[in-house]
Amino acid sequence: MSAQTSTVAAGRDLHWIEDHAALLDDPHRLQQVRDNIAAGDIYIARRQFAPEFLEELREYLTGVGRGSLPNYVPIEAGAPNFHRMNRNDSRAYVPGCFHQFVFFPWNQDPFDLFTVCASIYHMKNCLSGLPPGSFLGARPQDGCTARLAFQVYPRGGGFLNRHADPVDYHQLTVPIMQMSRKGTDFHAGGLFVAMADGRDLLIDDVAEPGDVIYFNAACPHGVAPIDPDAPLRWTTFAGRWMLLFAVNRLAANTAIGNAVRVG
Ligand SMILES: [Fe+2]
């Protein structure tokens, strides 16, 4: 079985993908999953990445974050990988407070991230009705590119306001990988997604590090403040970590210019 329904209260809204590779090879099941996500259901694929790999990534990015200045770079063809802070920036398209590390497919990186993450992008593209390898090339495609964004919501109040992301030809879902464990890395707050019946599903209460979550980007979602009573110390990089598997339009192709986009 490639995907299995689980129970959340009385809903049919949360499903577990037991075999990610098998689902990718099953067009009939993919169509069912696509329809369910379009209708507002949420799917979680367990343990797509090993805890040791996540630890290595966090350690590397923490070193980069501490050892170099954060700066924003627009999403343009050939843009460098970069990291930046958003400390409740009034220019942001969605108010938030987090540190972000961004990678593009045309740059090389020590982990070969776009190869390591290929199966997740293939699933994202298939769920959007696109060829699996879309947007992963060294040049933008149809004015869009894949973009990996690690987001660190710091203890002491990291957050992202409730919002919806654009659903268009380039994507139905923006998969998220969990990289932290609630109860260990932080205690209060976390990712929520509104389900079809209007309730919020608290993803951090059900998903573990390495799990990948697929949901309709048009469903309102956000990050409730992370340990708001703790002191905010950016350079510790302590808090809630996640990885977004994004596809973005290039800055020149968006009305808002992507100047300070957050997703
Ligand atoms: Fe979002």
Side-chain angles (χ1 to χ4, degrees):
M1 182 178 293
S2 53
Q4 193 174 74
T5 302
S6 185
T7 53
V8 172
R12 44 147 259 178
D13 302 308
L14 175 64
H15 310 261
W16 301 94
I17 298 172
E18 301 293 341
D19 187 336
H20 197 267
L23 177 58
L24 258 180
D25 270 347
D26 186 338
H28 177 67
R29 288 289 298 134
L30 271 174
Q31 183 61 50
Q32 288 179 330
V33 173
R34 184 183 303 137
D35 292 344
N36 287 343
I37 290 178
D41 284 4
I42 297 167
Y43 283 76
I44 300 180
R46 282 284 193 222
R47 283 288 191 103
Q48 297 302 299
F49 297 86
E52 300 74 28
F53 178 60
L54 302 188
E55 195 49 49
E56 211 179 328
L57 282 172
R58 283 179 58 150
E59 201 174 305
Y60 170 73
L61 294 173
T62 298
V64 170
R66 286 180 181 157
S68 57
L69 292 170
N71 280 304
Y72 182 78
V73 174
I75 302 172
E76 292 171 344
N81 297 339
F82 67 96
H83 71 100
R84 60 129 174 176
M85 288 173 63
N86 176 356
R87 182 162 34 197
N88 222 342
D89 192 322
S90 60
R91 297 165 295 178
Y93 143 77
V94 180
C97 175
F98 55 85
H99 201 119
Q100 185 182 58
F101 299 87
V102 174
F103 293 82
F104 295 103
W106 47 75
N107 297 319
Q108 297 205 315
D109 67 76
F111 298 96
D112 201 6
L113 285 171
F114 284 90
T115 299
V116 169
C117 296
S119 63
I120 309 301
Y121 269 107
H122 293 169
M123 183 71 81
K124 170 186 168 84
N125 285 328
C126 288
L127 290 173
S128 302
L130 297 166
S134 301
F135 313 118
L136 292 169
R139 293 169 188 272
Q141 179 184 336
D142 301 331
C144 295
T145 181
R147 183 187 64 120
L148 285 165
F150 294 87
Q151 311 229 136
V152 187
Y153 296 89
R155 298 191 68 221
F159 75 97
L160 183 61
N161 271 11
R162 183 183 293 263
H163 68 283
D165 292 309
V167 167
D168 203 343
Y169 68 92
H170 66 297
Q171 64 183 10
L172 167 65
T173 173
V174 183
I176 287 173
M177 177 180 59
Q178 293 285 89
M179 294 182 69
S180 300
R181 190 182 296 280
K182 189 171 181 177
T184 305
D185 297 307
F186 65 94
H187 301 279
L191 177 66
F192 59 85
V193 179
M195 295 194 292
D197 64 4
R199 289 174 303 144
D200 283 342
L201 176 64
L202 302 174
I203 298 289
D204 295 348
D205 289 346
V206 295
E208 298 177 359
D211 291 358
V212 175
I213 302 110
Y214 296 92
F215 63 96
N216 186 335
C219 290
H221 56 278
V223 176
I226 302 298
D227 292 348
D229 297 330
L232 176 52
R233 297 178 59 217
W234 287 90
T235 55
T236 65
F237 289 90
R240 180 180 186 277
W241 285 64
M242 69 180 202
L243 172 58
L244 277 175
F245 302 85
V247 168
N248 294 116
R249 293 191 183 90
L250 302 189
N253 294 329
T254 63
I256 59 169
N258 267 321
V260 282
R261 71 168 300 119
V262 297

